[in-house]
Amino acid sequence: MPVLRFFRTFWRERAFCIPAIITIAVGIGATTAVASFAYAVLLRPFPYPESHRLVRLFTVLTEEQGAGRNMSLLDIRDVNERATLSSNFGAYNDYDSLLQGPDGAQVVSVSELNLQVLRALGIAPALGRLFAAEAELSGGPVREAILSHSLWKSRFGGDPNVLGQNIVLRRASYEVVGVMPADFSFPDRTQLWLTMESWYELPLDGSPQQREQRAFPTLGRLAPGATLAQAQAEIDRIAAGLQREHPETNRGVEVNLVPLRDAEVGPVRPYVRVLAAGVTLLLLICLGNVVNLFLVRALARRPQYAVQSALGARRLDLARGPFADSVVLCLVGGAIGALLAGLAVGALDRMLPETLPAWLSLQVDPVVLAFCFGLTLFVGLVLGIAPALMGSRVDLVATLGSGSRAAGGSSSRGRAALIVVEVALSFVLLVGAGLLMASFARLQQTDQGFEPNDLHVVRAMNSQVASGSREEIAAFYAAHHQRILDRLAALPGVTSTASTDRVPYVGFKVRNGRLRVRGSTDQELRFMRPIASADVSSGYFKTMGVPLLRGRAFQSIDTADSAPVVVINEVAADVLFGDREAVGQMLHFGNTVTPTNPYCRVVGVVGDVRHGAVESGTLELYFPSSQWPNAGSYYVLRTEGNPAGFDAAVRNAIREVDPGTAVVWQKSMNDRIDETLWQRRLWSSLFALFAGSAVLLAIVGLYGLLSYSIVGRRSEIGVRLALGARPTEIGSMVVTDGLKLVTAGLALGAFGAFAVTRFIAATLDGVGELGWALYVATTLMLFAAAAAACAWPALRASRTDPAVVLDGQ
């Protein structure tokens, strides 16, 4: 049987079989792991019926250099009324809220959406119904809620009588009308759905629906049989009509249709491409290595095949054995590779942050597993053909007459060429890994613009709800936050505290925004730039360690009744005011100037703060939370070291002030920064793993080639020793032969590395090109590894006994 034959062969030729199995397992395992990731990101269907027809809508502002935005509710309504090749366009918005109950408040993820979104997704409730059509209309039954399956189970115990019950959030109560299926959580890990209209029915201070308020993600579905190009052409005509009808708000506003897959995975796609390129190089190295090993064994067996042929064995009989061995060997390696892939995918999934979309779950699913074993069988067939042909085409006289010398010639040159290619590919992977790791290290070492060490961030949900004018609401929340900050400041180890609605690397969102400034002659100048804004308490800059460059920070005199003020960063001062002194200037942020959104006086300029992994030129605006309604989401605490039991002390302190406020999470700022940089860390780690595996495989291949060359040159070595050559000269000859191959591979790899670094730098944002130091370090590393691979074959060659060799000729 082939299996029994394999085990006998494995034990007899374990010096060959073990490296071959390891090489195949590494290649198949790495390929399967990356294929699992690529399949999850790029190919796995979304859990919705005919998900390939789901599309997102985006507005493109041509007058603002193509700045992209979401949609306004009024534009969505008009598109729905006029489109025929696409339909069910609806807006959605998600946030955290507090669900009240007899056992206290619970933080839940809420999504407000139009009924059209649920119709586009094509998901029916597992219990109850969707929102009533009247819930889309102002004044209708907008106080309806739909529960997720997980919330229904955890909060209501799976009670089927939950329908018709009322639940209470921070601002209002809602009637439960349905429960969604267990695998539904759109847009991402949502636990509770409300109607979009319910937001506008709340007694909030602010403007109603506006055509300029393009802040809502929009989902729709292509009509059956309609192509994306046809639907886009129709949307273009609708957008042109809206430009004519509403020139004051829609001039230069275009609308793009984007497949849901592209909209969701767009930022990750370049990394997957780089990762796929890296694993492809690794797979090529594996294949080259295994081909080399199989050819070496086939050549070494040629005398055996010659004897069998002389005894009457047919070519088919001679080919069957090597072919079966190759296939079984590859299947064993593939099985181990599949196991390694499962372990790698599990480790990879643990490296991903919890904030990624729920649909991006990694697993070795049947499709990828079938790919793994299909690839394994293909490799086994390919690798089995060449040795089988070599074993069946034996020149009896030449083989028995020449002995081991028959293994030389062009086949040796071919194997040497494979080693050169392996070394070149290893060099390319090492340089690529160095590029990614250097960019990751550079991001970690970048000046953040604040001091992250000993900074603690608390995400909290406030149960207090204020009403009244803007000034009254601002004063209410400012007093509430101050009570909590005073209690937190009394904790042991806390040196400074502040509250804010956004924190760098957590809540800051850089978005295109419209600014107005008053010029030197009181004319109004307008700007559209990337803007990050936050409402902060008076101690924010001190607590965060943001340097004050000019003017002053917020003070106790900046109350809801005083003139509105703003603090800006240095980039904003340069862009908006140029050579003029920024302090004292008047600035407005928003679409329109109203009594509730007036001009603010710049009172200070602070240093630039980094808010994410890759950004530059961001304008930062800070407003005092004492002047603007801010329920607050974050408390930042500067501490001395890491006090014992600090998390529990913070939670208890907040509960003492307001038992209804829920602490969602607590983290150090350094931990949060590390989570934000997960992509760079993940890709650089994987590339480094690929590079290390490639170097190992190249060294194994070099070792195998040199070991075989010694067998093929035993006669030559014996003659050299008999004529007086010293053993050290023989060892030096073997090392020189090996390093010649490495040198050729490095020369070839240098060209490939140059192209790869350009490709990575062009594909991934924030990755620059590397200098000569990395190339020198990589060259020295490969030379050192190659020298180690040459050492044992050189030692064996130097210990050759010329008498034994010459006696055997």
Side-chain angles (χ1 to χ4, degrees):
M1 295 177 63
V3 176
L4 295 178
R5 172 189 172 87
F6 166 76
F7 282 110
R8 289 195 299 267
T9 302
F10 175 85
W11 182 251
R12 187 173 60 253
E13 300 181 5
R14 53 188 179 275
F16 156 78
C17 291
I18 291 176
I21 290 176
I22 291 175
T23 301
I24 294 171
V26 170
I28 298 299
T31 303
T32 304
V34 174
S36 299
F37 184 77
Y39 180 78
V41 174
L42 304 177
L43 299 175
R44 181 186 294 148
F46 288 111
Y48 315 118
E50 296 183 293
S51 60
H52 63 281
R53 293 202 288 121
L54 293 174
V55 291
R56 289 277 308 275
L57 272 182
F58 294 93
T59 54
V60 178
L61 309 182
T62 57
E63 294 182 353
E64 298 169 356
Q65 292 77 46
R69 292 189 182 182
N70 288 312
M71 297 286 292
S72 70
L73 296 179
L74 296 181
D75 282 349
I76 294 172
R77 181 200 63 189
D78 292 339
V79 170
N80 263 330
E81 291 176 352
R82 305 178 190 187
T84 59
L85 299 179
S86 52
S87 61
N88 293 126
F89 287 110
Y92 57 91
N93 185 30
D94 57 281
Y95 57 91
D96 291 335
S97 187
L98 288 179
L99 176 62
Q100 306 294 335
D103 298 328
Q106 173 186 352
V107 179
V108 292
S109 176
V110 179
S111 177
E112 294 167 338
L113 43 71
N114 296 128
L115 179 60
Q116 285 91 339
V117 173
L118 296 176
R119 289 172 175 169
L121 293 172
I123 301 295
L127 183 68
R129 60 172 175 83
L130 296 178
F131 299 124
E134 294 79 11
E136 297 287 279
L137 305 176
S138 178
V142 299
R143 295 287 185 268
E144 294 184 344
I146 299 176
L147 307 178
S148 70
H149 192 273
S150 61
L151 184 63
W152 177 52
K153 286 289 188 180
S154 62
R155 188 72 175 186
F156 301 95
D159 181 8
N161 296 319
V162 70
L163 299 180
Q165 295 185 25
N166 287 330
I167 59 174
V168 180
L169 297 180
R170 290 183 67 247
R171 293 183 178 274
S173 63
Y174 301 84
E175 178 188 357
V176 177
V177 298
V179 177
M180 298 304 285
D183 59 348
F184 182 80
S185 62
F186 182 88
D188 183 37
R189 296 183 175 88
T190 300
Q191 299 172 280
L192 183 66
W193 290 270
L194 308 176
T195 65
M196 183 66 71
E197 190 64 32
S198 65
W199 175 260
Y200 295 100
E201 291 293 310
L202 294 175
L204 302 174
D205 178 59
S207 58
Q209 303 178 19
Q210 295 180 354
R211 197 172 291 275
E212 264 192 332
Q213 191 178 347
R214 298 184 172 92
F216 298 98
T218 306
L219 183 79
R221 179 177 285 272
L222 294 179
T227 66
L228 184 67
Q230 293 171 339
Q232 180 64 65
E234 182 182 56
I235 293 294
D236 289 341
R237 292 192 293 272
I238 295 174
L242 293 177
Q243 291 182 30
R244 292 189 299 270
E245 297 167 17
H246 307 282
E248 69 285 356
T249 59
N250 286 58
R251 181 184 294 111
V253 175
E254 299 177 352
V255 181
N256 279 351
L257 272 177
V258 179
L260 179 62
R261 172 73 61 179
D262 293 345
E264 291 288 341
V265 307
V268 181
R269 193 187 299 271
Y271 290 93
V272 178
R273 290 174 179 169
V274 171
L275 189 62
V279 81
T280 299
L281 294 181
L282 179 62
L283 184 59
L284 290 175
I285 294 173
C286 289
L287 292 177
N289 219 15
V290 174
V291 168
N292 233 345
L293 290 170
F294 273 81
L295 291 178
V296 165
R297 186 178 71 159
L299 291 170
R301 283 182 169 185
R302 293 188 74 178
Q304 171 190 336
Y305 297 145
V307 172
Q308 292 175 342
S309 179
L311 296 176
R314 296 174 302 174
R315 284 190 172 183
L316 180 61
D317 296 329
L318 295 177
R320 186 181 297 116
F323 186 82
D325 288 346
S326 301
V327 173
V328 175
L329 192 70
C330 289
L331 286 175
V332 172
I336 298 175
L339 177 62
L340 293 176
L343 296 175
V345 168
L348 182 64
D349 195 37
R350 289 189 293 273
M351 292 178 67
L352 300 177
E354 297 179 355
T355 55
L356 285 185
W359 57 264
L360 188 55
S361 60
L362 300 185
Q363 58 190 11
V364 181
D365 50 33
V367 174
V368 177
L369 195 59
F371 168 80
C372 167
F373 280 100
L375 181 61
T376 302
L377 285 175
F378 173 77
V379 171
L381 293 174
V382 171
L383 295 180
I385 290 173
L389 292 177
M390 291 179 63
S392 63
R393 295 177 179 177
V394 177
D395 187 337
L396 181 60
V397 177
T399 300
L400 293 179
S402 60
S404 61
R405 290 187 301 273
S410 60
S411 61
S412 296
R413 291 191 294 272
R415 294 191 302 278
L418 284 176
I419 295 299
V420 170
V421 172
E422 288 184 26
V423 172
L425 294 178
S426 300
F427 186 85
V428 170
L429 279 176
L430 276 175
V431 171
L435 180 64
L436 291 176
M437 295 176 71
S439 68
F440 175 60
R442 188 165 53 248
L443 284 174
Q444 287 185 310
Q445 298 169 0
T446 299
D447 182 13
Q448 305 293 341
F450 62 93
E451 179 50 57
N453 297 326
D454 299 327
L455 192 62
H456 195 78
V457 182
V458 182
R459 172 77 165 93
M461 291 297 301
N462 177 21
S463 66
Q464 301 293 321
V465 178
S467 60
S469 66
R470 177 181 67 85
E471 292 80 6
E472 292 172 337
I473 296 174
F476 176 87
Y477 284 129
H480 174 76
H481 294 322
Q482 192 59 50
R483 288 193 296 271
I484 292 179
L485 291 177
D486 291 342
R487 181 64 185 88
L488 293 175
L491 295 177
V494 176
T495 60
S496 180
T497 62
S499 65
T500 176
D501 64 338
R502 295 180 178 90
V503 178
Y505 288 95
V506 182
F508 262 104
K509 293 183 179 180
V510 179
R511 54 193 174 91
N512 289 312
R514 181 174 285 108
L515 292 171
R516 292 178 172 87
V517 301
R518 288 178 180 167
S520 56
T521 57
D522 288 338
Q523 76 272 23
E524 189 177 72
L525 305 177
R526 299 188 181 189
F527 298 84
M528 174 60 68
R529 291 293 300 267
I531 296 171
S533 65
D535 296 337
V536 303
S537 66
S538 58
Y540 178 80
F541 301 114
K542 174 186 174 183
T543 303
M544 292 292 295
V546 179
L548 178 65
L549 304 180
R550 297 187 295 279
R552 66 172 178 86
F554 299 131
Q555 300 174 352
S556 58
I557 60 174
D558 300 315
T559 64
D561 297 327
S562 62
V565 295
V566 62
V567 170
I568 63 177
N569 70 330
E570 196 167 16
V571 170
D574 293 340
V575 170
L576 300 178
F577 304 106
D579 296 334
R580 290 185 295 160
E581 173 55 54
V583 176
Q585 302 294 335
M586 301 300 291
L587 171 66
H588 176 267
F589 177 37
N591 292 327
T592 57
V593 180
T594 64
T596 58
N597 187 22
Y599 268 91
C600 301
R601 184 174 299 279
V602 178
V603 296
V605 177
V606 296
D608 303 329
V609 172
R610 180 175 289 273
H611 304 120
V614 178
E615 62 179 56
S616 61
T618 302
L619 279 65
E620 300 161 17
L621 310 179
Y622 300 93
F623 300 93
S625 55
S626 57
Q627 293 187 334
W628 299 94
N630 173 25
S633 298
Y634 303 95
Y635 299 104
V636 289
L637 293 77
R638 176 71 58 185
T639 64
E640 294 179 343
N642 186 18
F646 188 69
D647 288 357
V650 168
R651 195 177 298 273
N652 292 334
I654 294 177
R655 189 179 296 116
E656 290 175 7
V657 177
D658 180 13
T661 295
V663 175
V664 182
W665 52 259
Q666 303 180 61
K667 293 179 182 178
S668 71
M669 179 58 74
N670 282 325
D671 287 344
R672 181 55 198 170
I673 293 175
D674 287 342
E675 290 178 1
T676 305
L677 300 178
W678 70 270
Q679 289 199 40
R680 297 297 175 81
R681 181 175 61 251
L682 174 65
W683 310 127
S684 59
S685 299
L686 287 176
F687 232 79
L689 178 62
F690 291 163
S693 301
V695 172
L696 175 63
L697 294 175
I699 297 310
V700 169
L702 180 61
Y703 168 81
L705 179 66
L706 294 177
S707 297
Y708 174 76
S709 68
I710 293 172
V711 176
R713 299 173 65 182
R714 290 182 73 237
S715 299
E716 175 193 344
I717 294 173
V719 171
R720 286 176 179 268
L721 291 171
L723 294 177
R726 293 191 300 272
T728 54
E729 294 177 345
I730 299 300
S732 178
M733 177 188 68
V734 174
V735 172
T736 301
D737 290 345
L739 294 183
K740 285 180 180 179
L741 298 178
V742 173
T743 302
L746 292 175
L748 180 62
F751 292 100
F754 178 78
V756 166
T757 55
R758 289 293 184 90
F759 166 72
I760 294 177
T763 303
L764 306 182
D765 292 332
V767 177
E769 298 181 17
L770 291 180
W772 58 268
L774 177 67
Y775 293 93
V776 172
T778 304
T779 300
L780 293 177
M781 183 188 305
L782 281 175
F783 257 114
C790 297
W792 178 245
L795 182 62
R796 286 178 54 198
S798 65
R799 292 178 176 178
T800 301
D801 188 342
V804 175
V805 173
L806 297 177
D807 183 63
Q809 297 299 312

